[in-house]
Amino acid sequence: MKTTMFLIVVLCLTLSACTGQKVVASDPDNAGISRLAKSDINEVVELHQRAVMHDLKSLMLKLYKRNPAGRHDKDERDIKASVDLFFSRPHDHYFTHWQEMGATDIIRIALDETYQSSDRVLPFIFGMRKMMMASYDNHTEFFYFTSIDEQKLYNSARNIEIAAWMLAEKRDIKGNILLLSDSLAEEQRNLSYQRLFGEMIATQDNLAEIIARKNGRLIKTVVVKAASMMFLPI
């Protein structure tokens, strides 16, 4: 039985490689033969990954609508097409100027007053996506022999909290928010950004707990002070 399962996994990995790199886990209803090499927990992991990437894509769309002037490709395509193009590419599709940078460093530069580009949304989402995919060990397919670390998932949830705080609080020397998201004082209250961040945090935390229970391990919890802007390692 183990030999048969091993051969199925090898076959699925081979087929996956032949069809090109996926950008996110497959829909289980369309997974075909690859489902034979997946356990229930693998499908749970893929469900969580799809959910968190869906929320991140929604966040990018909302941020571009809130900050339309700075979008790098505004003269080439509309906002939806721009976001669709970004998420159609693999998460490690590098922009040359960020190639040597870590995920959280890219998030930082997006909200650094000295950042020169007018498009702050692109590095913010690129860094977030790279960081969250690292919590899945950069896998986009999960099989019987694929393992992920519950601590990385937990740490990524805390990093999302820090990124959310930075997005809401980082300002220039004149006191202006660097990247608009939540409503300003004179605007009607808009909690949709907080909901998206909350959903992403909950998704990562929930999966971390599932994996920890499966592996019989304890997660090292920490109290994160978002204002310190100290991201956790992944």
Side-chain angles (χ1 to χ4, degrees):
M1 178 64 182
K2 289 184 178 180
T3 301
T4 302
M5 184 54 64
F6 176 76
L7 292 174
I8 291 174
V9 172
V10 170
L11 174 60
C12 291
L13 289 172
T14 302
L15 290 174
S16 178
C18 291
T19 55
Q21 184 177 3
K22 296 181 182 297
V23 296
V24 74
S26 302
D27 185 331
D29 293 333
N30 300 319
I33 192 173
S34 67
R35 291 198 70 180
L36 297 175
K38 298 178 187 291
S39 65
D40 289 344
I41 193 68
N42 295 140
E43 295 193 357
V44 168
V45 172
E46 292 183 353
L47 177 65
H48 282 73
Q49 187 187 69
R50 286 197 305 276
V52 79
M53 289 300 153
H54 177 270
D55 286 339
L56 186 63
K57 184 175 181 179
S58 297
L59 178 62
M60 188 179 198
L61 188 65
K62 288 177 67 64
L63 285 173
Y64 268 143
K65 288 181 177 179
R66 189 83 163 100
N67 304 268
R71 184 163 57 89
H72 67 287
D73 57 353
K74 63 182 179 181
D75 296 329
E76 301 171 32
R77 54 187 65 88
D78 63 23
I79 291 175
K80 185 179 183 303
S82 179
V83 174
D84 286 344
L85 177 62
F86 177 84
F87 278 91
S88 71
R89 294 167 171 163
H91 68 276
D92 56 357
H93 176 88
Y94 286 113
F95 296 86
T96 55
H97 42 299
W98 300 324
Q99 190 165 1
E100 302 301 323
M101 298 180 65
T104 54
D105 291 328
I106 299 171
I107 296 172
R108 287 184 190 282
I109 65 165
L111 299 170
D112 189 320
E113 186 185 350
T114 62
Y115 181 58
Q116 297 298 311
S117 173
S118 61
D119 190 342
R120 294 179 180 273
V121 176
L122 182 63
F124 184 78
I125 298 297
F126 179 72
M128 289 279 287
R129 187 184 184 199
K130 185 176 180 181
M131 183 270 294
M132 286 192 282
M133 285 301 298
S135 73
Y136 292 86
D137 283 336
N138 296 312
H139 294 301
T140 55
E141 290 281 354
F142 298 86
F143 301 104
Y144 277 99
F145 303 129
T146 308
S147 62
I148 57 175
D149 188 329
E150 64 279 353
Q151 192 66 50
K152 291 182 179 181
L153 292 163
Y154 173 85
N155 287 2
S156 73
R158 306 290 74 75
N159 287 349
I160 295 170
E161 291 176 350
I162 295 170
W165 183 90
M166 292 175 65
L167 180 65
E169 298 296 332
K170 293 290 283 184
R171 300 170 183 268
D172 62 21
I173 57 173
K174 296 180 180 179
N176 300 313
I177 292 287
L178 291 172
L179 189 55
L180 294 175
S181 56
D182 291 329
S183 50
L184 300 176
E186 67 276 9
E187 297 175 334
Q188 184 177 355
R189 190 76 187 275
N190 180 3
L191 299 177
S192 59
Y193 292 91
Q194 294 180 31
R195 281 195 293 269
L196 277 175
F197 278 111
E199 288 170 5
M200 289 189 287
I201 292 165
T203 297
Q204 296 296 87
D205 272 335
N206 186 59
L207 184 57
E209 183 65 25
I210 291 171
I211 298 300
R213 287 177 178 272
K214 172 184 175 291
N215 294 334
R217 298 173 183 163
L218 293 176
I219 296 172
K220 296 178 182 178
T221 59
V222 296
V223 177
V224 174
K225 294 182 179 179
S228 71
M229 295 184 290
M230 295 293 292
F231 288 103
L232 299 181
I234 296 179

